[in-house]
Amino acid sequence: MATTSAYNRLVPNDQDPSGHFAGTSDRSAREGAERFHKRILGLDVGARRIGIAVSDPLGITAQGLETLQRRNKRTDLAALERVIREFDVKEIVVGLPLRMSGLEGTQAEKMQVFAEELRKRFRLPVHMWDERLTSAEANRLLRETELSIEKRGKAVDRMAAVLILQGWMEGRGR
């Protein structure tokens, strides 16, 4: 004979008989659930390569994907579109290459333009995240592995994208 513990039968006082909490609607409950089940794309954009990372569905951890070798704007955006569709991405984070002083330079301006192109093309929120020292940190982390110099070189952009995305997610949670 199965028994149900008192713990499993407790119902909060603000829950109505339909199972909803007072003050919430089906729509707000759905929106709350969607907030926790969306992937975020992180990009470390360089002149020759784009490092790519994607979050888990809960937006807690970042995983690196294959680095995109840049060809031209049309090809690059088409490749990013495939990633966005495959992972059902709902937001994008682009590394912003600030100077060590914190000021924006030519490269930061280029990334602002690139981010605006992403917003227009994919109609998704695009956030900028300070990427100072992410490549240096990625290189440091990769040197601690037993990867060859050649393999580390290929992995650095992906690792930088992971650090950008992870930093943004942690910063957002504060």
Side-chain angles (χ1 to χ4, degrees):
M1 177 174 150
T3 61
T4 304
S5 71
Y7 178 80
N8 290 333
R9 286 185 271 132
L10 290 177
V11 177
N13 292 336
D14 57 349
Q15 191 175 26
D16 70 23
S18 70
H20 294 102
F21 288 96
T24 65
S25 66
D26 285 338
R27 180 174 176 239
S28 64
R30 258 193 327 275
E31 288 170 353
E34 287 173 2
R35 192 179 96 218
F36 293 109
H37 295 286
K38 62 182 178 182
R39 291 189 187 255
I40 307 157
L41 185 67
L43 302 175
D44 177 42
V45 182
R48 293 180 294 166
R49 293 178 300 277
I50 299 176
I52 303 173
V54 67
S55 74
D56 66 291
L58 298 177
I60 298 170
T61 62
Q63 297 84 34
L65 301 178
E66 188 158 341
T67 298
L68 173 64
Q69 298 298 319
R70 298 193 75 178
R71 295 199 179 142
N72 58 52
K73 188 187 302 187
R74 189 185 67 182
T75 305
D76 297 347
L77 291 175
L80 290 174
E81 184 171 7
R82 284 191 296 277
V83 172
I84 289 168
R85 283 188 179 157
E86 178 181 347
F87 290 95
D88 193 25
V89 168
K90 301 297 183 198
E91 293 181 75
I92 303 171
V93 179
V94 176
L96 183 63
L98 298 175
R99 294 182 175 165
M100 291 309 290
S101 65
L103 297 175
E104 289 189 19
T106 307
Q107 289 302 93
E109 291 171 13
K110 288 179 182 178
M111 284 310 102
Q112 295 283 10
V113 169
F114 184 77
E116 189 56 36
E117 289 173 352
L118 294 174
R119 283 183 193 100
K120 288 178 182 175
R121 167 94 182 235
F122 302 119
R123 300 188 187 279
L124 294 173
V126 178
H127 312 282
M128 304 302 293
W129 184 254
D130 182 356
E131 71 167 31
R132 281 179 290 177
L133 302 178
T134 55
S135 291
E137 177 69 4
N139 274 310
R140 186 189 67 74
L141 290 169
L142 290 168
R143 274 194 308 272
E144 294 174 3
T145 68
E146 295 184 15
L147 291 176
S148 68
I149 292 172
E150 182 182 340
K151 287 183 180 179
R152 281 194 311 235
K154 291 180 178 179
V156 71
D157 298 304
R158 175 182 3 180
M159 178 65 77
V162 167
L163 292 171
I164 289 166
L165 180 54
Q166 194 69 51
W168 183 83
M169 290 187 303
E170 289 171 3
R172 176 189 63 173
R174 290 186 189 124

